[in-house]
């Protein structure tokens, strides 16, 4: 969720508030993750797994919409929303790998750039680098959230067409993931230079 400008009362709600409607929706989305894992691994209820993922995907849009409409953006929401998305997405992919729907290489391709980016963020900023989510990053996440349940749906319906279409989304998502990683990493290094290198310093000179 992005910060938006507003009146003084909106700023008061949007700055340090914790118990907001968007944040509660984000928590509900996160709680959908263990339900999905249980449905797929313990129950093999792939149709219901698709339903849970669809609900999780819809709440990802709803919490941002509600935040803007109610002027309830918050610092916690800006951190919690993308973190919840990444944790949920990784958990879903791991579940799909364990269930045999996705190959291990896709999980590694998803995780390794994230680990590198997280390590660089902790090293340079000791925490949140406060980088804006890019359109490519959002599109990547959307493609993953479409392709993953579609793969389950292909299994539930025994549909070859749905299977191929799901991999179109997943393959596109992984290409975008690598490009988005490069963009975020470059932005991270640029922000580090701007914040920690003295203004006017000439490269190669003390």
């Amino acid at each position: 969720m992005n910060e938006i400008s507003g009146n003084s009362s909106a700023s008061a709600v949007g700055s340090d508030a914790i118990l907001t409607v968007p944040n509660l929706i984000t928590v509900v989305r996160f709680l959908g993750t263990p339900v999905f894992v249980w449905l797929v691994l313990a129950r093999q209820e792939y149709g219901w797994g698709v339903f849970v993922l669809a609900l999780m995907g819809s709440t990802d849009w709803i919490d941002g919409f509600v935040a803007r409409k109610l002027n309830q953006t918050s610092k916690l929401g800006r951190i919690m929303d993308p973190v919840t998305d990444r944790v949920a997405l990784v958990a879903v992919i791991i579940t799909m790998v364990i269930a045999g729907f996705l190959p291990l290489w896709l999980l590694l391709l998803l995780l390794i750039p994230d680990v590198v980016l997280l390590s660089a963020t902790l090293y340079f900023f000791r925490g949140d680098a406060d980088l804006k989510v890019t359109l490519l990053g959002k599109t990547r996440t959307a493609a993953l959230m479409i392709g993953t349940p579609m793969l389950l749906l292909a299994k539930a319906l025994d549909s070859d067409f749905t299977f191929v279409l799901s991999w179109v989304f997943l393959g596109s998502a992984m290409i975008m993931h690598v490009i988005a990683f490069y963009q975020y990493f470059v932005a991270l290094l640029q922000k580090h230079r701007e914040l920690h290198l003295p203004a006017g310093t000439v490269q190669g000179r003390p």
Side-chain angles (χ1 to χ4, degrees), residues 79-129:
I79 297 173
M80 187 169 64
D81 189 54
V83 169
T84 296
D85 287 345
R86 300 307 295 163
V87 171
L89 187 58
V90 169
V92 167
I93 297 298
I94 290 175
T95 301
M96 297 284 281
V97 170
I98 294 174
F101 290 104
L102 289 174
L104 180 60
W105 65 260
L106 189 144
L107 174 63
L108 295 177
L109 186 59
L110 180 70
L111 284 180
I112 291 175
D114 280 356
V115 170
V116 171
L117 196 60
L118 176 61
S119 300
T121 300
L122 292 174
Y123 178 77
F124 288 124
F125 296 95
R126 304 295 189 268
D128 183 25

Coordinates of all heavy atoms in Angstrom, one line a residue, residues 79-129:
I79 N 4.9 -1.7 5.6 CA 5.8 -2.8 5.8 C 5.2 -4.1 5.8 O 5.6 -5.1 5.1 CB 6.6 -2.6 7.1 CG1 7.4 -1.3 7.1 CG2 7.5 -3.8 7.4 CD1 8.0 -0.9 8.5
M80 N 4.0 -4.2 6.5 CA 3.4 -5.5 6.6 C 2.8 -6.1 5.3 O 2.8 -7.3 5.1 CB 2.3 -5.4 7.7 CG 1.6 -6.7 8.1 SD 0.6 -6.6 9.5 CE -0.7 -5.5 8.9
D81 N 2.2 -5.2 4.5 CA 1.6 -5.6 3.3 C 2.5 -6.4 2.3 O 2.2 -7.5 2.0 CB 0.9 -4.5 2.6 CG 0.0 -4.9 1.4 OD1 -0.9 -5.7 1.6 OD2 0.2 -4.4 0.3
P82 N 3.7 -5.8 1.9 CA 4.6 -6.6 1.0 C 5.2 -7.8 1.7 O 5.4 -8.8 1.1 CB 5.6 -5.5 0.6 CG 5.5 -4.5 1.7 CD 4.1 -4.4 2.1
V83 N 5.5 -7.7 3.0 CA 6.1 -8.8 3.7 C 5.1 -10.0 3.8 O 5.5 -11.1 3.5 CB 6.5 -8.4 5.2 CG1 6.8 -9.6 6.0 CG2 7.7 -7.5 5.1
T84 N 3.8 -9.7 4.0 CA 2.8 -10.7 4.1 C 2.7 -11.4 2.7 O 2.6 -12.6 2.6 CB 1.4 -10.1 4.4 OG1 1.5 -9.6 5.8 CG2 0.3 -11.2 4.4
D85 N 2.7 -10.5 1.6 CA 2.6 -11.1 0.3 C 3.8 -12.0 0.0 O 3.6 -13.1 -0.6 CB 2.7 -9.9 -0.7 CG 1.3 -9.2 -0.8 OD1 0.3 -9.7 -0.2 OD2 1.3 -8.1 -1.3
R86 N 5.0 -11.6 0.4 CA 6.2 -12.4 0.1 C 6.2 -13.7 0.9 O 6.4 -14.8 0.3 CB 7.5 -11.7 0.4 CG 7.6 -10.4 -0.4 CD 7.5 -10.6 -1.9 NE 8.5 -11.4 -2.4 CZ 8.4 -12.0 -3.6 NH1 7.3 -11.9 -4.4 NH2 9.4 -12.8 -4.1
V87 N 5.9 -13.6 2.2 CA 5.8 -14.8 3.0 C 4.8 -15.8 2.5 O 5.0 -17.0 2.4 CB 5.6 -14.5 4.5 CG1 5.3 -15.7 5.3 CG2 6.8 -13.7 5.1
A88 N 3.6 -15.3 2.2 CA 2.5 -16.1 1.7 C 2.9 -16.8 0.4 O 2.6 -18.0 0.2 CB 1.2 -15.3 1.6
L89 N 3.4 -16.0 -0.5 CA 3.8 -16.5 -1.8 C 4.8 -17.6 -1.7 O 4.7 -18.6 -2.4 CB 4.3 -15.4 -2.7 CG 4.6 -15.7 -4.2 CD1 3.3 -16.2 -4.8 CD2 5.0 -14.4 -4.9
V90 N 5.9 -17.4 -0.9 CA 6.9 -18.4 -0.7 C 6.3 -19.7 -0.1 O 6.7 -20.8 -0.5 CB 8.1 -17.8 0.1 CG1 9.0 -19.0 0.6 CG2 8.8 -16.8 -0.6
A91 N 5.5 -19.5 0.9 CA 4.8 -20.7 1.5 C 4.0 -21.4 0.5 O 4.0 -22.7 0.5 CB 4.0 -20.2 2.7
V92 N 3.3 -20.7 -0.3 CA 2.4 -21.4 -1.3 C 3.3 -22.1 -2.3 O 3.0 -23.3 -2.7 CB 1.6 -20.3 -2.1 CG1 0.9 -20.9 -3.3 CG2 0.5 -19.8 -1.1
I93 N 4.4 -21.5 -2.8 CA 5.3 -22.2 -3.7 C 5.9 -23.4 -3.1 O 6.0 -24.5 -3.8 CB 6.4 -21.2 -4.2 CG1 5.8 -20.0 -5.0 CG2 7.4 -21.9 -5.1 CD1 5.0 -20.4 -6.2
I94 N 6.4 -23.3 -1.8 CA 7.0 -24.5 -1.2 C 6.0 -25.6 -1.1 O 6.3 -26.8 -1.3 CB 7.5 -24.1 0.2 CG1 8.7 -23.2 0.2 CG2 7.8 -25.3 1.1 CD1 9.2 -22.6 1.5
T95 N 4.7 -25.2 -0.7 CA 3.7 -26.2 -0.7 C 3.5 -26.9 -2.0 O 3.3 -28.2 -2.1 CB 2.3 -25.6 -0.2 OG1 2.5 -25.0 1.0 CG2 1.2 -26.6 -0.2
M96 N 3.5 -26.1 -3.1 CA 3.3 -26.7 -4.4 C 4.4 -27.6 -4.8 O 4.3 -28.6 -5.5 CB 3.1 -25.5 -5.4 CG 1.9 -24.7 -5.2 SD 0.3 -25.4 -5.7 CE 0.4 -25.2 -7.4
V97 N 5.7 -27.2 -4.4 CA 6.8 -28.1 -4.7 C 6.7 -29.4 -4.0 O 6.9 -30.5 -4.5 CB 8.1 -27.3 -4.3 CG1 9.3 -28.3 -4.4 CG2 8.4 -26.2 -5.2
I98 N 6.4 -29.3 -2.7 CA 6.2 -30.6 -1.9 C 5.1 -31.4 -2.4 O 5.3 -32.7 -2.5 CB 5.9 -30.2 -0.4 CG1 7.1 -29.5 0.3 CG2 5.5 -31.5 0.4 CD1 6.8 -29.0 1.7
A99 N 4.0 -30.8 -2.9 CA 2.9 -31.6 -3.5 C 3.2 -32.1 -4.9 O 2.5 -32.9 -5.4 CB 1.7 -30.7 -3.5
G100 N 4.3 -31.7 -5.5 CA 4.7 -32.2 -6.8 C 4.2 -31.4 -7.9 O 4.3 -31.9 -9.1
F101 N 3.6 -30.2 -7.7 CA 3.0 -29.4 -8.8 C 4.1 -28.5 -9.4 O 3.9 -28.2 -10.6 CB 1.9 -28.6 -8.3 CG 0.7 -29.4 -7.9 CD1 0.3 -29.6 -6.6 CD2 -0.2 -29.9 -8.9 CE1 -0.8 -30.3 -6.2 CE2 -1.3 -30.6 -8.5 CZ -1.6 -30.9 -7.2
L102 N 5.1 -28.1 -8.7 CA 6.1 -27.2 -9.2 C 7.5 -27.8 -9.0 O 7.7 -28.5 -8.0 CB 6.0 -25.8 -8.5 CG 4.8 -25.0 -8.8 CD1 4.8 -23.7 -7.9 CD2 4.8 -24.5 -10.3
P103 N 8.4 -27.5 -9.9 CA 9.8 -28.0 -9.8 C 10.6 -27.2 -8.7 O 10.3 -26.0 -8.5 CB 10.4 -27.8 -11.2 CG 9.6 -26.7 -11.7 CD 8.2 -26.8 -11.2
L104 N 11.6 -27.8 -8.2 CA 12.4 -27.2 -7.2 C 13.1 -26.0 -7.7 O 13.3 -25.0 -7.0 CB 13.4 -28.2 -6.6 CG 14.4 -27.7 -5.5 CD1 13.6 -27.2 -4.3 CD2 15.4 -28.8 -5.2
W105 N 13.5 -26.0 -9.0 CA 14.3 -24.9 -9.6 C 13.5 -23.6 -9.5 O 14.0 -22.5 -9.4 CB 14.7 -25.1 -11.0 CG 13.6 -25.3 -12.0 CD1 13.2 -26.5 -12.5 CD2 12.9 -24.3 -12.7 NE1 12.2 -26.2 -13.5 CE2 12.0 -24.9 -13.6 CE3 12.9 -22.9 -12.6 CZ2 11.1 -24.2 -14.4 CZ3 12.1 -22.1 -13.4 CH2 11.2 -22.8 -14.3
L106 N 12.1 -23.7 -9.7 CA 11.3 -22.5 -9.6 C 11.3 -21.9 -8.2 O 11.4 -20.6 -8.1 CB 9.9 -22.8 -10.0 CG 9.0 -21.6 -10.2 CD1 8.0 -21.8 -11.4 CD2 8.1 -21.3 -9.0
L107 N 11.3 -22.7 -7.2 CA 11.4 -22.2 -5.8 C 12.7 -21.5 -5.6 O 12.8 -20.5 -5.0 CB 11.2 -23.4 -4.9 CG 11.4 -23.1 -3.4 CD1 10.4 -22.0 -2.9 CD2 11.3 -24.3 -2.5
L108 N 13.8 -22.1 -6.1 CA 15.2 -21.5 -5.9 C 15.3 -20.2 -6.6 O 15.9 -19.3 -6.1 CB 16.2 -22.5 -6.4 CG 16.4 -23.8 -5.6 CD1 17.4 -24.7 -6.2 CD2 16.7 -23.5 -4.1
L109 N 14.7 -20.2 -7.9 CA 14.8 -18.9 -8.6 C 14.0 -17.8 -8.0 O 14.3 -16.7 -8.1 CB 14.2 -19.2 -10.0 CG 14.3 -18.0 -11.0 CD1 15.7 -17.6 -11.2 CD2 13.7 -18.4 -12.4
L110 N 12.9 -18.2 -7.2 CA 12.2 -17.2 -6.5 C 12.9 -16.8 -5.2 O 12.9 -15.6 -4.9 CB 10.8 -17.8 -6.1 CG 9.8 -16.9 -5.3 CD1 9.3 -15.8 -6.2 CD2 8.7 -17.7 -4.8
L111 N 13.5 -17.7 -4.5 CA 14.1 -17.4 -3.2 C 15.4 -16.7 -3.3 O 15.7 -15.8 -2.5 CB 14.2 -18.7 -2.4 CG 12.9 -19.3 -1.8 CD1 13.3 -20.6 -1.0 CD2 12.3 -18.3 -0.9
I112 N 16.3 -17.2 -4.2 CA 17.7 -16.7 -4.2 C 17.7 -15.2 -4.4 O 18.4 -14.5 -3.6 CB 18.5 -17.4 -5.2 CG1 18.8 -18.9 -4.7 CG2 19.9 -16.7 -5.4 CD1 19.5 -19.7 -5.8
P113 N 17.1 -14.6 -5.3 CA 17.1 -13.1 -5.5 C 16.5 -12.4 -4.2 O 17.0 -11.4 -3.8 CB 16.2 -12.8 -6.7 CG 16.3 -14.1 -7.5 CD 16.3 -15.2 -6.5
D114 N 15.5 -13.0 -3.6 CA 14.9 -12.4 -2.4 C 15.9 -12.4 -1.3 O 16.0 -11.5 -0.5 CB 13.6 -13.1 -2.0 CG 12.4 -12.7 -2.9 OD1 12.6 -11.8 -3.7 OD2 11.3 -13.3 -2.7
V115 N 16.6 -13.5 -1.1 CA 17.6 -13.6 0.0 C 18.7 -12.6 -0.2 O 19.2 -12.0 0.7 CB 18.1 -15.1 0.0 CG1 19.3 -15.1 1.0 CG2 17.0 -16.0 0.5
V116 N 19.2 -12.5 -1.5 CA 20.2 -11.5 -1.8 C 19.8 -10.1 -1.5 O 20.5 -9.3 -0.9 CB 20.7 -11.7 -3.3 CG1 21.6 -10.5 -3.6 CG2 21.3 -13.0 -3.5
L117 N 18.6 -9.8 -1.9 CA 18.0 -8.4 -1.7 C 17.8 -8.2 -0.2 O 18.2 -7.1 0.3 CB 16.7 -8.3 -2.4 CG 16.2 -6.9 -2.6 CD1 17.2 -6.1 -3.4 CD2 14.8 -6.9 -3.3
L118 N 17.3 -9.2 0.5 CA 17.1 -9.0 2.0 C 18.5 -8.8 2.7 O 18.6 -8.0 3.6 CB 16.4 -10.2 2.6 CG 16.2 -10.2 4.1 CD1 15.4 -9.0 4.5 CD2 15.6 -11.5 4.5
S119 N 19.5 -9.6 2.3 CA 20.8 -9.5 2.9 C 21.4 -8.1 2.7 O 22.0 -7.5 3.6 CB 21.7 -10.6 2.4 OG 21.2 -11.9 2.6
A120 N 21.3 -7.6 1.4 CA 21.8 -6.3 1.1 C 21.1 -5.2 1.9 O 21.7 -4.2 2.3 CB 21.7 -6.1 -0.4
T121 N 19.8 -5.4 2.0 CA 19.0 -4.4 2.8 C 19.5 -4.3 4.2 O 19.6 -3.3 4.8 CB 17.5 -4.7 2.7 OG1 17.1 -4.7 1.3 CG2 16.7 -3.7 3.5
L122 N 19.6 -5.5 4.8 CA 20.1 -5.6 6.2 C 21.5 -5.0 6.4 O 21.8 -4.4 7.4 CB 20.0 -7.0 6.7 CG 18.6 -7.6 6.9 CD1 18.7 -9.1 7.3 CD2 17.8 -6.8 7.9
Y123 N 22.3 -5.3 5.4 CA 23.7 -4.8 5.5 C 23.8 -3.3 5.3 O 24.5 -2.7 6.1 CB 24.6 -5.5 4.4 CG 26.0 -5.1 4.4 CD1 26.9 -5.6 5.3 CD2 26.5 -4.2 3.4 CE1 28.2 -5.2 5.3 CE2 27.8 -3.8 3.4 CZ 28.7 -4.3 4.3 OH 30.0 -3.9 4.3
F124 N 23.2 -2.8 4.4 CA 23.3 -1.3 4.1 C 22.4 -0.5 5.0 O 22.8 0.7 5.3 CB 22.9 -1.0 2.6 CG 24.0 -1.5 1.6 CD1 23.7 -2.4 0.6 CD2 25.3 -1.1 1.8 CE1 24.6 -2.8 -0.3 CE2 26.3 -1.5 0.9 CZ 25.9 -2.4 -0.2
F125 N 21.2 -1.0 5.4 CA 20.3 -0.1 6.1 C 19.9 -0.7 7.4 O 19.1 0.0 8.1 CB 19.0 0.0 5.2 CG 19.2 0.8 3.9 CD1 19.5 0.1 2.8 CD2 19.2 2.2 3.9 CE1 19.7 0.8 1.6 CE2 19.5 2.9 2.7 CZ 19.7 2.2 1.6
R126 N 20.3 -1.9 7.8 CA 20.0 -2.5 9.1 C 18.5 -2.6 9.3 O 17.9 -2.5 10.4 CB 20.6 -1.7 10.3 CG 22.0 -1.4 10.2 CD 22.8 -2.7 10.3 NE 24.2 -2.5 10.5 CZ 25.1 -2.4 9.5 NH1 24.7 -2.6 8.2 NH2 26.4 -2.2 9.7
G127 N 17.8 -2.7 8.2 CA 16.3 -2.8 8.3 C 15.6 -2.5 7.0 O 16.1 -2.9 5.9
D128 N 14.5 -1.7 7.0 CA 13.7 -1.4 5.8 C 14.4 -0.3 5.0 O 14.7 0.8 5.6 CB 12.3 -0.9 6.3 CG 11.4 -0.6 5.1 OD1 11.7 -1.2 4.0 OD2 10.5 0.2 5.3
A129 N 14.6 -0.5 3.7 CA 15.2 0.5 2.9 C 14.2 1.5 2.3 O 14.5 2.4 1.7 CB 16.0 -0.2 1.7

